Amino acid sequence: MSEIAKTPQPPYYAVIFTSERSEGDQGYEEMAEEMVNLASVQPGFLGVESAREGLGITVSYWESLEAIQNWKQNERHLMAQKRGKSDWYLSYKTRICKVERDYGFEKN
Amino acid sequence: MSEIAKTPQPPYYAVIFTSERSEGDQGYEEMAEEMVNLASVQPGFLGVESAREGLGITVSYWESLEAIQNWKQNERHLMAQKRGKSDWYLSYKTRICKVERDYGFEKN
């Protein structure tokens, strides 16, 4: 299970990736796990949160727009993006955001 | 099931609300539905996306920071926030973001 990401003080950046999957796995779960592992070792990666309930929402956090751009151009990630369009997703939306403020709560 | 929100051209704003629930419902589902319905009729509301898989992620989209602030101060919403801390959440994080760019994909 994904946990709440431990991000630094804002500003930092978020990529909100919202998706609707097609039927069947077709190698999706394996690639999804590989992509999380690969993203996690990219320069500027700050964390990731993910949940799917019909609709899937994955939010990854980054130090800069440059870090996001580099990850988008990662060779293995480009291959995953291609398969995303051909095999795994009916539709998706990617939103690039600047996190301006945050606050949290933890039960004692 | 939540769908991909139909948001306008950026810039606009996003509130990423990530949470871990406590055990049991305690009126949560009913209030969650009420809050989505109530948010949807607030000035400046653009859409909402939601999924829970252990971790819950709800992203709401807004025209402006002022619209977000007004919704945060809505009386019924303030009551829900209070019950969130006392009854429903072990922890949460709220991130206020400016969506600078977006792109999407839809299968033909």
Side-chain angles (χ1 to χ4, degrees):
Chain A
M1 170 187 144
S2 187
E3 294 185 352
I4 296 176
K6 284 169 185 56
T7 41
Q9 286 285 102
Y12 52 90
Y13 289 84
V15 179
I16 306 170
F17 178 75
T18 313
S19 65
E20 295 172 317
R21 285 271 282 109
S22 48
E23 296 288 318
D25 183 73
Q26 301 180 76
Y28 169 78
E29 287 295 345
E30 193 181 339
M31 184 66 96
E33 190 181 335
E34 183 188 330
M35 286 302 112
V36 167
N37 292 337
L38 190 57
S40 304
V41 297
Q42 298 307 302
F45 175 85
L46 298 175
V48 63
E49 296 166 342
S50 198
R52 179 170 297 278
E53 188 185 4
L55 187 73
I57 306 177
T58 297
V59 189
S60 59
Y61 299 100
W62 302 87
E63 277 176 13
S64 66
L65 289 174
E66 191 191 1
I68 292 169
Q69 191 59 33
N70 287 341
W71 168 235
K72 195 183 175 191
Q73 298 303 330
N74 174 284
E75 206 166 317
R76 187 71 181 150
H77 189 202
L78 285 172
M79 187 183 302
Q81 289 168 56
K82 195 176 276 187
R83 288 217 49 206
K85 289 188 187 186
S86 63
D87 297 342
W88 297 322
Y89 298 117
L90 295 176
S91 61
Y92 64 70
K93 184 116 188 171
T94 303
R95 295 178 172 98
I96 316 291
C97 316
K98 183 176 192 177
V99 181
E100 300 189 340
R101 208 157 54 79
D102 66 14
Y103 55 89
F105 164 77
E106 273 190 65
K107 199 130 204 159
N108 291 327
Chain B
M1 169 188 146
S2 187
E3 293 186 353
I4 296 177
K6 285 168 185 55
T7 42
Q9 286 285 101
Y12 53 89
Y13 289 83
V15 179
I16 306 170
F17 178 75
T18 313
S19 65
E20 295 172 318
R21 285 271 284 111
S22 48
E23 295 288 318
D25 183 74
Q26 303 180 75
Y28 169 78
E29 287 296 345
E30 193 181 339
M31 183 68 96
E33 190 181 336
E34 183 187 331
M35 286 303 111
V36 167
N37 291 337
L38 190 56
S40 304
V41 296
Q42 299 305 303
F45 175 86
L46 298 175
V48 64
E49 296 167 342
S50 198
R52 178 171 298 279
E53 188 183 6
L55 188 72
I57 305 177
T58 296
V59 188
S60 59
Y61 299 101
W62 302 87
E63 278 177 13
S64 66
L65 290 174
E66 191 192 0
I68 292 169
Q69 191 59 33
N70 287 341
W71 167 235
K72 195 184 175 192
Q73 298 303 329
N74 174 284
E75 206 165 317
R76 186 71 182 152
H77 189 202
L78 285 172
M79 187 183 301
Q81 289 169 55
K82 195 176 276 186
R83 286 215 52 203
K85 290 189 187 187
S86 63
D87 297 342
W88 297 323
Y89 298 117
L90 295 176
S91 61
Y92 64 70
K93 186 116 184 169
T94 303
R95 295 176 173 98
I96 316 292
C97 314
K98 183 176 191 176
V99 181
E100 300 188 341
R101 208 158 53 81
D102 65 15
Y103 53 90
F105 164 77
E106 272 189 66
K107 199 131 205 157
N108 293 326

